Amino acid sequence: MGKAKDERKQKIMMYLNETKFASLGELVEFLHYSDATVKRDLIELENEKQIRRTRGGAVLIDSEKVDAAYLTKVGNYVNDEEKRRIAERAVTYIEDDMTIFVDSSSTALHLIPYLKKIHGLRVVTNSVLTAALLSEHTAAEVTIVGGTVTNKKFTVNSVTAVNQLRTYHFDLALLSCRGYDEEKGATENTEGEAVFKQVLKDCTEKIILMVLESKRNKVYFYKSLLPEDIDIVI
């Protein structure tokens, strides 16, 4: 019993390291355990000061602090092999003097070490952390779309940001998703994320979707990109 509990707690931390926040329903679906069992695991993780429980879910404690999240994400450059491989493939489509959009995913952050080798690059992002890292580690011209920052996620998905996107034209957009299905395309669990990507497809020449294995064959409530909207899936 103790081993099963430890494995659940490890899986919860892996999930939260990817998403930073998760609802109780998401964790129940992910773990295939009851609400009561998952709640007990969350209480233990909170007592261990690894997470903070919120109304209806849990958030990583580090994700509440910019400096801690910054260091965590920088460390992930070398710690997450799958994301690094995806970034290595994605960057082969980026050329000098392009204007590209990079989303707020942790997968997209793994592109940054490779972008320093590309000249004349203009990068637009909706991530506060991505913008900061791009500014510090590359010579790219960096623009962050304006508006309200989503609480604890350092991401901008507001109406202001969406309207600003409509004034731009991108050669390439590098995006992630919450779930991907070959027949249904990319889906999200928030309306803001879905609308943001729907607007991007109308102002971008080529869309590259970067998909972790854990997100394949999963479908969430909000449709963001249909299969025909996506040019390349990595």
Side-chain angles (χ1 to χ4, degrees):
M1 184 68 69
K3 182 179 179 181
K5 180 174 67 175
D6 289 343
E7 288 177 352
R8 286 196 309 272
K9 288 164 65 176
Q10 287 176 8
K11 287 180 180 179
I12 289 171
M13 292 306 299
M14 288 173 57
Y15 193 91
L16 286 173
N17 274 315
E18 170 63 27
T19 63
K20 305 308 172 192
F21 169 82
S23 68
L24 178 63
E26 286 180 279
L27 292 172
V28 167
E29 180 182 356
F30 175 66
L31 296 167
H32 303 294
Y33 276 84
S34 69
D35 288 21
T37 298
V38 176
K39 281 181 181 178
R40 285 195 295 270
D41 292 338
L42 293 178
I43 290 170
E44 289 193 15
L45 287 169
E46 185 174 50
N47 291 337
E48 293 165 7
K49 302 189 183 304
Q50 297 193 63
I51 67 163
R52 182 173 64 83
R53 288 187 298 147
T54 64
R55 181 178 295 179
V59 62
L60 279 181
I61 289 177
D62 280 353
S63 71
E64 298 179 71
K65 302 177 182 178
V66 174
D67 288 342
Y70 179 97
L71 293 173
T72 299
K73 288 177 180 287
V74 171
N76 280 344
Y77 285 159
V78 294
N79 291 336
D80 197 314
E81 184 65 22
E82 182 184 10
K83 293 176 184 178
R84 187 190 64 78
R85 288 197 304 269
I86 289 173
E88 278 189 338
R89 289 181 59 191
V91 79
T92 62
Y93 296 95
I94 304 174
E95 301 175 0
D96 290 350
D97 303 313
M98 272 188 168
T99 297
I100 69 172
F101 182 89
V102 176
D103 75 3
S104 59
S105 66
S106 55
T107 303
L109 281 170
H110 286 69
L111 292 165
I112 294 172
Y114 304 104
L115 296 183
K116 65 179 67 175
K117 302 175 183 178
I118 300 174
H119 302 288
L121 195 63
R122 174 180 286 175
V123 184
V124 179
T125 183
N126 64 327
S127 167
V128 177
L129 289 175
T130 301
L133 288 167
L134 284 165
S135 178
E136 182 174 350
H137 296 290
T138 77
E141 178 182 328
V142 182
T143 299
I144 182 168
V145 292
T148 303
V149 179
T150 303
N151 193 28
K152 298 182 178 65
K153 293 194 176 183
F154 312 110
T155 301
V156 183
N157 288 325
S158 64
V159 173
T160 302
V162 167
N163 288 335
Q164 187 177 344
L165 274 186
R166 292 192 172 103
T167 68
Y168 295 149
H169 176 267
F170 301 106
D171 298 303
L172 192 66
L174 297 114
L175 308 175
S176 63
C177 60
R178 180 53 60 95
Y180 174 73
D181 179 87
E182 288 187 359
E183 294 184 359
K184 295 179 175 63
T187 52
E188 308 294 336
N189 65 355
T190 67
E191 187 176 16
E193 287 279 359
V195 171
F196 205 85
K197 291 180 175 67
Q198 289 165 11
V199 172
L200 269 169
K201 73 180 175 61
D202 293 329
C203 55
T204 304
E205 292 293 327
K206 181 179 291 186
I207 287 182
I208 295 179
L209 193 68
M210 301 179 293
V211 185
L212 297 172
E213 281 302 318
S214 61
K215 297 183 178 182
R216 291 180 182 268
N217 302 314
K218 293 187 177 179
V219 179
Y220 291 85
F221 185 69
Y222 294 100
K223 294 180 181 179
S224 56
L225 297 168
L226 297 174
E228 56 265 31
D229 297 325
I230 305 164
D231 295 286
I232 298 164
V233 178
I234 297 176

